[in-house]
Amino acid sequence: MLTGLYFIRTRLIFGIILITFAFVDERQCLFINNSSNFFSLAQKYGYKPVKYEVTTDDGYMLSLFRIPGNGTPILFLHGLEDSSDSWILRGKGSLGIKLTSKGYDCWFANFRGNRYSRKHVTINPDQERFWDFSFEEFGIYDIPALIDTILNSTHASKVNVIAHSQGTTSMFVLLSSREEYNDKVNLVINLAPMCFMENIPPPVLSMAQYTNEINDIFKNFSVNEVLGFYSAESKALRSLCALPLFGYRLCLIGILSTIGGNDAAEIESDFFRYHINNHFPAGTSTKSFAHYGQILQHKSFQRYDYGDLENMNKYASSKPPEYDLGKIRTKTALLVAQNDNFSRISDVERLKKQLVNMVNYTILPRKQMNHYDFLWGANTKDYLDPTVFEVLRQFG
C-alpha cells in the first residue's frame, strides 16, 4: 500500500514539475537541447558517423553507429537508461573519441527501447508487448544481431567489446547462453561489471526489496517504460536538472551520486547541465529494472522470475535457472571502481572466480571513482585510459 502511494505521489510530483516549468523563464533553459544526438556530437568533434539499422531475430530494429577505422572492430555497449551518446559525450575526453582518434574501427550500439531503437517490424512502443524485455533479450537477440552486422560489413573474423554496466550483464548472458558467440568475440573489456549484486548498499538495496510490489504497481498503471527520452516525465526532469545550482545539486549530487557513488569533482556543474542532461536518461523497460531487482533479492545471476507457475511453463522449473558463467570462453577483463555503489568489488570478486579466461582484473586507482566516471569523468586519462589501452594492446 505504501509503495502504491509512493508511486502515485511520484507521478503527481512529475506533473507538478511539468506545470511549473511551463512558466519558467525560457532563458534559463536555453541549453536544454532535445535534438542533440549521436550524429551532432560526432560531427561537432570532427567525425562523420555511419548509421546501420539492425533487425534482430525477434523483430526489433536497432540503431548502430560507426566511426570507421582500422583493425579489429570495437563494439561499445551502453548501460541502463543510457545510449551510444555517452561514449562520445566528452569529445576528446571520451573513451570512444580517444579510440577513434587512435584509428580503431568503433561501433556504438543502442539496445532496444532507448531513444534510437524504438522500432519493431510489427509492433510499436505504444503496445505493452513491445516492452517485454530485460537485459536477457539484449544478450540473446540484440548483441548477436549487432555482432553479425559488424562482421558481415567488415569481413573481420572477430570483434572486441567494451561494455559498461548493463552492457556487461548482457554480454555475460550472451556468452553463457549462445556459446557459439565465444568464437566471434575476441575480448570483452567490462567497465563496472554488473552480475552479482549481493553487496549493493542503500538506497538501491532498499528499493530492490520491494521489486515485486513495485513491478505490480507498474503493471496496474500500464507503465511499461521508465523515463523514456521523449516522455513528459523526462522532459520535466531535464527542465529541473537544467536549473542553475539547484538542478546540479539535486539531480547529480542528490540523486545520481547517492545511488551510484559520490565523485562530484569529476562531473562539473556545466558539463552535467549542458551535456549529460541533454542525453540521459534515454529510456528502457520496467522489466529491465525488475530483473536487476530480482538478482539482488535472490543473490543469484539468474533468468527472469515470472513466478512459480509461469516459470514451470517457460523453464520446466519453479525457479528460474542461473546463467552458467563457466561456459564463457572469451578473453575477459574486469575493471572496477572503488567507490561504485552498483558494481561492488566484493561482488566482482565472486564473478571473477567463475570466469575461466580472465586476462585482466584491475581495481582502478582513483579512490573516489564511481559508476558514472567510466563514461563521464573529467580525468579518465589519469585513472582509466591507461588500463584500457594496455588491455587492448596486449589482447585486442
Side-chain angles (χ1 to χ4, degrees):
M1 180 64 181
L2 288 175
T3 309
L5 291 174
Y6 173 79
F7 176 75
I8 294 169
R9 187 186 69 178
T10 301
R11 300 287 286 193
L12 287 173
I13 289 172
F14 271 125
I16 292 169
I17 291 171
L18 191 62
I19 293 170
T20 300
F21 283 99
F23 298 97
V24 170
D25 185 343
E26 63 181 23
R27 289 173 297 177
Q28 296 181 13
C29 300
L30 288 177
F31 46 80
I32 300 175
N33 183 3
N34 294 328
S35 65
S36 181
N37 57 35
F38 188 90
F39 269 76
S40 63
L41 283 171
Q43 290 168 354
K44 174 182 176 182
Y45 302 126
Y47 296 96
K48 295 181 179 180
V50 180
K51 178 181 178 180
Y52 294 73
E53 191 168 82
V54 178
T55 302
T56 66
D57 286 346
D58 61 344
Y60 285 83
M61 302 165 73
L62 315 176
S63 292
L64 173 64
F65 302 124
R66 178 189 189 185
I67 302 180
N70 302 304
T72 302
I74 300 177
L75 172 62
F76 291 81
L77 302 175
H78 63 77
L80 186 70
E81 284 287 359
D82 211 350
S83 74
S84 55
D85 299 357
S86 278
W87 294 109
I88 65 171
L89 201 54
R90 270 204 184 267
K92 294 180 180 179
S94 294
L95 185 59
I97 296 295
K98 290 171 187 174
L99 290 174
T100 296
S101 69
K102 288 178 177 290
Y104 286 95
D105 189 15
C106 295
W107 299 71
F108 302 88
N110 289 283
F111 290 129
R112 63 184 66 189
N114 84 358
R115 65 180 294 194
Y116 298 113
S117 298
R118 295 174 58 84
K119 294 193 291 184
H120 188 279
V121 295
T122 59
I123 56 180
N124 65 67
D126 294 331
Q127 296 175 277
E128 181 178 352
R129 61 195 180 105
F130 180 94
W131 300 99
D132 186 19
F133 61 79
S134 73
F135 56 73
E136 171 158 322
E137 284 69 27
F138 298 163
I140 299 296
Y141 296 107
D142 290 14
I143 303 176
L146 296 167
I147 289 174
D148 289 341
T149 296
I150 294 170
L151 295 182
N152 290 335
S153 300
T154 62
H155 305 294
S157 59
K158 293 189 176 186
V159 301
N160 291 322
V161 174
I162 298 178
H164 177 249
S165 191
Q166 184 181 242
T168 73
T169 314
S170 306
M171 280 303 299
F172 296 136
V173 170
L174 168 64
L175 297 174
S176 64
S177 303
R178 299 188 64 175
E179 294 180 69
E180 68 273 21
Y181 277 86
N182 283 276
D183 298 319
K184 298 184 179 185
V185 181
N186 172 59
L187 166 71
V188 184
I189 299 178
N190 296 279
L191 310 180
M194 292 288 292
C195 183
F196 300 108
M197 302 173 66
E198 187 173 349
N199 295 290
I200 286 183
V204 175
L205 174 63
S206 307
M207 292 186 287
Q209 292 172 345
Y210 298 98
T211 294
N212 294 334
E213 292 84 353
I214 293 171
N215 206 33
D216 287 342
I217 292 167
F218 280 147
K219 289 180 180 178
N220 291 337
F221 281 85
S222 298
V223 177
N224 305 301
E225 181 184 17
V226 179
L227 292 174
F229 185 80
Y230 301 102
S231 68
E233 289 89 350
S234 287
K235 290 177 181 177
L237 185 63
R238 282 196 289 276
S239 294
L240 179 65
C241 295
L243 287 177
L245 298 178
F246 176 78
Y248 176 75
R249 290 172 180 169
L250 174 68
C251 299
L252 180 76
I253 298 175
I255 299 176
L256 288 180
S257 295
T258 299
I259 63 177
N262 182 33
D263 190 14
E266 276 294 277
I267 300 176
E268 318 90 321
S269 175
D270 283 353
F271 179 71
F272 175 77
R273 293 168 52 238
Y274 284 75
H275 299 281
I276 296 172
N277 191 40
N278 283 329
H279 296 266
F280 179 90
T284 193
S285 67
T286 57
K287 188 176 180 180
S288 296
F289 283 89
H291 200 168
Y292 273 120
Q294 291 175 359
I295 287 175
L296 198 156
Q297 280 186 330
H298 298 300
K299 302 179 181 180
S300 171
F301 187 46
Q302 62 184 38
R303 300 186 67 182
Y304 192 83
D305 189 348
Y306 293 93
D308 291 354
L309 182 59
E310 193 169 348
N311 286 342
M312 285 297 299
N313 293 332
K314 288 187 70 72
Y315 310 131
S317 168
S318 62
K319 303 298 180 184
E322 295 184 20
Y323 301 106
D324 187 352
L325 296 170
K327 293 181 177 179
I328 299 176
R329 294 180 280 108
T330 299
K331 289 179 288 188
T332 305
L334 305 174
L335 278 60
V336 193
Q338 300 180 54
N339 189 34
D340 188 334
N341 282 348
F342 287 121
S343 179
R344 305 291 286 176
I345 291 176
S346 51
D347 289 327
V348 178
E349 293 276 358
R350 180 180 172 188
L351 165 65
K352 171 186 168 186
K353 293 175 182 176
Q354 299 191 35
L355 297 174
V356 299
N357 195 12
M358 191 185 67
V359 297
N360 181 280
Y361 172 65
T362 300
I363 298 174
L364 295 161
R366 180 180 171 83
K367 291 185 178 180
Q368 301 94 335
M369 185 182 181
N370 68 10
H371 197 70
Y372 314 110
D373 288 341
F374 286 94
L375 300 171
W376 303 331
N379 298 289
T380 53
K381 67 182 186 302
D382 299 324
Y383 55 81
L384 173 64
D385 298 349
T387 303
V388 173
F389 297 160
E390 180 60 21
V391 172
L392 279 173
R393 187 190 68 79
Q394 286 191 47
F395 305 105

